[in-house]
Amino acid sequence: MKKFLFIIFIINIVFTACAQTPKPIVGAGKEVDPYHYTSIKNITITHGCVVSAQPLASEVGLAILKRGGNAFDAMIATQLALAVVYPGAGNLGGGGFTVARTKNDALIALDYREMAPSKASRNMYIDSAGNARTDWSQNGHLSAGVPGTVAGLFAEHQYAKLPFAALIQPAIDLAEKGFVLTKSEASSFNYNKEDFVKYNTKSIVFVKQNEWKEGDTLFQPELAKTLMRIRDEGMKGFYEGETAKLIVEEMQRGKGLISYDDLKNYVCKSRKPIEFNYRGYHVVSMPPSSSGGIILGEMLKMIEPYPMHEYGFQTKQSVQLMVEAERRAYADRAEHLGDADFWDVPQNLLLSDAYLKKRMSDYDSTNPSKSEDIKAGNVHESNQTTHISIIDADGNMVAVTTTLNNGYGSKTVVGGAGFFLNDEMDDFSIKPGVANMYGALGGDANAIEPGKRMLSSMTPTLVLKNNKPFMVVGTPGGTTITTSVFQSIVNVVDFGMNAQDAVDKPKFHHQWHPDTVMIEKGFSEKTAEQLKAMGYTLQELEAIGRTELVKILPDGRFEAAADIRGDDSASGY
Ligand code: GLY
């Protein structure tokens, strides 16, 4: 039976694509088997590659590349497949950012971050006793911002070659005909069962009586129907009509705020990418409403005057310098960064040499600085954002980071529509001095206003060398996103690592508040002891990030590395 379904699935992919593209698609080659798949961590190939959090999604992207799609086609198909096979973070009900460079050198930054509903207000998460209610901002209907992902997919499509219908069909097939769960996905469903029951008004496919186990097949018929409406009606298939009705009805059942007008009025915004140079490389990243590009620029520019290569990987000298750069950049994030359509972000100043030199003027290589006047907080270890890195044979580079915020977002599935809604409202500063789930503080710059986009850390990033593609990189991980991208770039540029080592080597993180250096399991014990002796407080985390990195080798081949920390997988040819 499974084999039969698989054959139908493949035929469907091939024929749907063939029927809807102007000329026959050639080179379909090996297609996607949703019942037998495995994660591949590292490939070196010549034509094009896709690195994502789930093997099936990477394989869908590869199939699209092989059929003549470019990196944008592959990205759209991969994102849509992730919405089915990686429901904890892949999504229709969330938002994200795309940073891309076309083969003609055009740079693109797309902002489809979620937006506060028009009925949102600054103190909506403060109760009558004046307490900040993170339980309201982090779970359930009220935590959801207006989703942006579908608008982002259609904005990406202007750079693609194949019809949208061909790109969404693999996701429809995966939702309708099912796919087998990995061990980690099965245990994640089991782990979240109680919340899935608590935050839903209808029964959902992710909850079953018995425990989920590896190899179980997940069918998502309601999600398949939503995807079909998007295929048939375009953006209106999500932001208007039946899907919008289902979202608004779900909001009404759970006292959420998203309205028909909020959905209809949602737009993906084209932004000017953040660009700066680092040791002769040109870095392109995401501007606000993400903090990612600016903070990455600040950190790299702050360490640039120092001989990192001489200091060496994960030595006391290199880590301490990077920690102090991270501390200063994250302090700026809390004070200065928010949606630039609502707040005057001093972007040029923050990235200016003069400012960054002054910022490091009190750096002392023998003593920790202090993040004073800040109460202790916690860094939340969520990896439930997801990143995709793609490059094609023509040199189109696309980096996408997208999220529901927490794992499975609000935990609320839109009844009848089959997808999780985000809990992105928690990324606003819900009350001055109250940290979000990642321990990040904020103030007026990131206060809630109707229609405003909450500040993100997502950092989809491209690196160019001599104006040619050199690296595509990004990761999930909340506030640790930007420090992981920072360290991945330094690992390659300063420490000469290959893509896999740059991704897999243990990371560390400091975000100003709490005044603690988070170190990942496996971090150098010697360096940890030396930092403690200097007066740093250290805390070990199980994992930091799930980075997907493509490095272009001197001979033009692509080395694609999928993070060892999860099911992440690289596909290419
Ligand atoms: N929700 C995580 C982020 O956008 O940074």
Side-chain angles (χ1 to χ4, degrees), residues 79 89-98 110-115 144-153 156 238-239 266-268 289-290 384-387 400-405 409 419-424 427 453-454 456 458 460 481:
Q79 278 177 266
N91 66 83
L92 298 181
F97 302 99
T98 298
L110 300 174
D111 174 343
Y112 41 98
R113 179 69 160 166
E114 298 91 328
M115 174 180 95
V146 183
T149 292
V150 175
L153 290 165
E156 285 169 4
F238 184 86
Y239 290 103
Y266 186 87
V267 287
C268 169
S289 54
S290 181
Q384 298 304 353
T385 293
T386 191
H387 178 82
V400 162
T401 315
T402 171
T403 189
L404 288 166
N405 198 20
F419 61 86
F420 284 101
L421 285 168
N422 66 84
D423 60 333
E424 216 69 64
D427 268 349
R453 298 176 186 213
M454 56 294 286
S456 173
M458 291 189 274
I481 290 174

Side-chain angles (χ1 to χ4, degrees), residues 178-218:
F179 69 98
V180 297
L181 297 179
T182 63
K183 189 173 176 196
S184 62
E185 196 67 64
S187 38
S188 182
F189 286 169
N190 295 333
Y191 179 81
N192 285 286
K193 183 172 179 176
E194 208 175 296
D195 280 349
F196 287 164
V197 172
K198 183 168 171 190
Y199 295 112
N200 279 285
T201 59
K202 302 211 159 184
S203 61
I204 64 172
V205 293
F206 307 101
V207 173
K208 64 173 186 149
Q209 208 171 356
N210 302 324
E211 295 256 294
W212 289 98
K213 46 185 196 326
E214 181 181 10
D216 283 351
T217 304
L218 178 70

Side-chain angles (χ1 to χ4, degrees), residues 9-10 13-14 17-18 21 25-33 48-50 55-70 73-75 77-78 81 162 166-167 169-171 174 390 570-573:
F9 178 72
I10 297 315
I13 288 180
V14 173
C18 288
T21 45
I25 293 167
V26 293
K30 174 178 168 289
E31 288 288 353
V32 181
D33 179 349
C49 56
V50 180
L56 286 171
S58 297
E59 286 191 29
V60 164
L62 172 62
I64 293 295
L65 283 178
K66 284 185 172 174
R67 288 182 208 163
N70 66 16
D73 291 290
M75 183 56 83
T78 306
L162 302 180
L167 306 177
Q169 195 59 41
L174 286 163
I390 301 185
S571 295
Y573 74 118

Side-chain angles (χ1 to χ4, degrees), residues 497-571:
M497 284 185 202
N498 63 32
Q500 197 68 50
D501 281 348
V503 164
D504 290 348
K505 291 281 183 197
K507 305 274 190 316
F508 55 92
H509 174 74
H510 195 293
Q511 60 178 43
W512 177 55
H513 164 80
D515 194 348
T516 302
V517 185
M518 319 281 163
I519 54 167
E520 191 176 12
K521 208 169 74 177
F523 183 89
S524 159
E525 280 177 30
K526 180 176 165 206
T527 303
E529 288 310 318
Q530 289 172 326
L531 291 171
K532 276 190 218 159
M534 284 177 82
Y536 286 92
T537 304
L538 268 60
Q539 181 190 339
E540 188 174 280
L541 295 182
E542 185 62 28
I544 299 182
R546 275 175 69 172
T547 305
E548 322 294 4
L549 192 152
V550 182
K551 181 179 167 193
I552 294 82
L553 301 176
D555 64 6
R557 288 179 305 150
F558 308 138
E559 186 199 356
D563 202 307
I564 199 171
R565 296 166 181 83
D567 291 334
D568 310 49
S569 191
S571 295

Side-chain angles (χ1 to χ4, degrees), residues 299 326 330 333 379-383 438 440 457-459 474-488 507-511 518 541 543-547:
M299 294 187 296
E326 291 176 5
Y330 276 77
R333 181 191 193 276
V379 173
H380 178 76
E381 265 187 74
S382 172
N383 281 325
Y438 304 103
S457 296
M458 291 189 274
T459 315
T475 181
T479 41
T480 69
I481 290 174
T482 319
T483 47
S484 291
V485 172
F486 170 48
Q487 288 163 49
S488 300
K507 305 274 190 316
F508 55 92
H509 174 74
H510 195 293
Q511 60 178 43
M518 319 281 163
L541 295 182
I544 299 182
R546 275 175 69 172
T547 305

